[in-house]
Amino acid sequence: MTDKWALGGTETRGARLRSRDDRKIVAILAMPRVYSLDVSIPAHVFGQHPGYRVLVCGDQNLDAVDESSDRPSDVDVAADIRPTHSLSAVEYADIVVVPGYENPSLPIPDGYLKAVRLAGERGARTVAVCTGVFAVAATGMLDGKTVTTHWQYTDQLRRTYPEVDVAENRLFVEDGAVLTSAGAGSGIDACLHVIQSDFGTTVAGGVAKDVVLSTARSADEPQYVDVLPPPRAGLRPTREWVIENIGSSITVQRMADHSRLSRRTFIRHFVRETGMPPMHWVARQRILGARRLLESSDWSVERIAGATGFGTAANFRNIFRREVGTTPTAYRKSHGPSSADNASADASDNASVPPPTVRL
């Protein structure tokens, strides 16, 4: 069924934007000089789940691209993306996505900055993709916060906004209600991270599968590695073995033995392939496994602790709370089977906005 409030370019009133099914509203800003991929990716990823309604918002009287811009011909600036809703719709958004745009040294119109700032003050979550962080920083919202951006722009961001703490070579960084990501690819990871926090690991994994992506990478993985992985089969069989045996005692030496490498060589290759030390990766897999069981089963905390390699329930509770920010019991209440059933009940009425018109 088509969402009658999500179509076209007509002015939309806030009372009508709040649909009866309580879906979260995602407002993607179609700013001047915006990159089409940075609009299309969040529109597609969030649009895969019935818990979201996606709006592409912007000044409908403003051309998306300054025709006098001396941009390279290979830069895909979204000259033909047109907003489906006006900027006033951002006022009612739960999540505001600020895509990357060409030449962040040039200003963004005040109307866009005001919309982002007011949404942030109201408590909306802000997701900045690539150079979109420059627009968010211009509002003053990022002063004192830690952020990241595409590696080509980290120095420029530091110089332009010295009050902002810029993290090097990170896929994405979450600081409070603000999430910043590197480039278009990491924008997928950032969107999946939001879905995971809203609806759980199982739902996020399903969306990742729908968009033909492996499970979302973690925030602390690097944007790039300076050395390519060795031209061999790689360590994927060892990682798969770890996941299959996640409830057992896993050590670096056991993984090295499985891969038929020395401990030192194994660690070096593992960090190259995954961007993190072996036991850090194992801990992440255990947390992911525990989250899936909390979401999809009625197993006791004690049983989940044993099945995922945490040992005792007390150890599991302590580590889970430290890593996830809540207790296993509270997580199950908000993401468990009954919560998932409610979230999918409106699937037949999913009326995410159609992808913005892009003519390349």
Side-chain angles (χ1 to χ4, degrees):
M1 183 174 68
T2 303
D3 188 342
K4 62 182 177 180
W5 308 136
L7 295 176
T10 59
E11 187 71 21
T12 310
R13 298 299 178 188
R16 300 169 70 188
L17 271 173
R18 279 295 174 192
S19 59
R20 290 185 294 274
D21 52 16
D22 294 325
R23 285 176 290 171
K24 291 179 180 290
I25 297 174
V26 180
I28 304 173
L29 298 188
M31 304 182 299
R33 311 186 306 278
V34 72
Y35 294 126
S36 64
L37 196 59
D38 291 1
V39 174
S40 300
I41 282 176
H44 181 64
V45 174
F46 284 116
Q48 292 298 304
H49 191 267
Y52 298 103
R53 296 180 60 243
V54 181
L55 316 176
V56 179
C57 303
D59 184 345
Q60 295 162 322
N61 297 316
L62 183 67
D63 287 337
V65 178
D66 179 359
E67 294 300 330
S68 65
S69 173
D70 184 21
R71 67 178 185 275
S73 59
D74 61 344
V75 174
D76 182 20
V77 180
D80 294 315
I81 282 185
R82 291 292 181 264
T84 60
H85 290 71
S86 71
L87 279 174
S88 63
V90 179
E91 179 181 349
Y92 308 98
D94 301 287
I95 300 164
V96 178
V97 179
V98 185
Y101 56 97
E102 181 198 18
N103 198 348
S105 62
L106 297 178
I108 292 296
D110 289 341
Y112 290 87
L113 302 183
K114 181 180 178 181
V116 173
R117 186 179 66 253
L118 291 178
E121 291 174 352
R122 180 175 46 78
R125 193 170 197 171
T126 304
V127 179
V129 181
C130 192
T131 53
V133 67
F134 283 81
V136 183
T139 69
M141 291 171 53
L142 301 184
D143 291 358
K145 289 186 176 293
T146 301
V147 304
T148 195
T149 190
H150 192 285
W151 59 269
Q152 290 181 314
Y153 294 97
T154 51
D155 288 341
Q156 181 180 346
L157 183 62
R158 231 181 244 112
R159 291 192 305 269
T160 307
Y161 299 102
E163 302 84 2
V164 178
D165 180 19
V166 182
E168 294 275 359
N169 198 18
R170 296 277 295 278
L171 278 181
F172 60 89
V173 171
E174 187 174 31
D175 192 336
V178 177
L179 194 154
T180 54
S181 65
S186 62
I188 302 177
D189 295 290
C191 293
L192 291 173
H193 178 77
V194 172
I195 295 172
Q196 178 175 285
S197 64
D198 285 342
F199 297 105
T201 304
T202 303
V203 170
V207 173
K209 184 177 180 180
D210 287 340
V211 298
V212 196
L213 188 77
S214 60
T215 304
R217 296 171 290 179
S218 64
D220 50 6
E221 292 188 38
Q223 298 178 27
Y224 61 88
V225 291
D226 292 322
V227 182
L228 293 175
R232 57 192 298 274
L235 299 176
R236 180 172 181 175
T238 298
R239 296 198 302 271
E240 291 175 346
W241 170 80
V242 170
I243 293 173
E244 291 171 358
N245 296 275
I246 200 67
S248 64
S249 175
I250 304 293
T251 65
V252 173
Q253 189 60 55
R254 285 192 70 191
M255 288 189 282
D257 291 343
H258 184 276
S259 64
R260 301 180 184 272
L261 296 172
S262 70
R263 178 187 175 96
R264 176 185 245 177
T265 301
F266 168 77
I267 293 174
R268 185 171 68 253
H269 288 179
F270 194 94
V271 172
R272 284 180 183 175
E273 290 190 21
T274 68
M276 65 182 73
M279 294 313 295
H280 186 170
W281 181 86
V282 171
R284 179 178 177 234
Q285 301 312 307
R286 285 180 166 147
I287 289 291
L288 286 172
R291 291 172 79 151
R292 292 189 183 102
L293 288 172
L294 288 167
E295 294 166 14
S296 60
S297 77
D298 59 358
W299 287 12
S300 67
V301 169
E302 289 77 8
R303 186 177 180 184
I304 293 175
T308 52
F310 288 102
T312 67
N315 185 53
F316 171 47
R317 289 187 181 98
N318 289 335
I319 296 176
F320 192 89
R321 181 162 193 157
R322 184 186 68 207
E323 297 297 324
V324 182
T326 187
T327 65
T329 300
Y331 184 86
R332 169 172 272 163
K333 286 181 179 177
S334 59
H335 296 92
S338 60
S339 175
D341 291 343
N342 291 336
S344 62
D346 297 318
S348 62
D349 190 35
N350 181 16
S352 298
V353 68
T357 302
V358 184
R359 296 186 292 276
L360 303 180

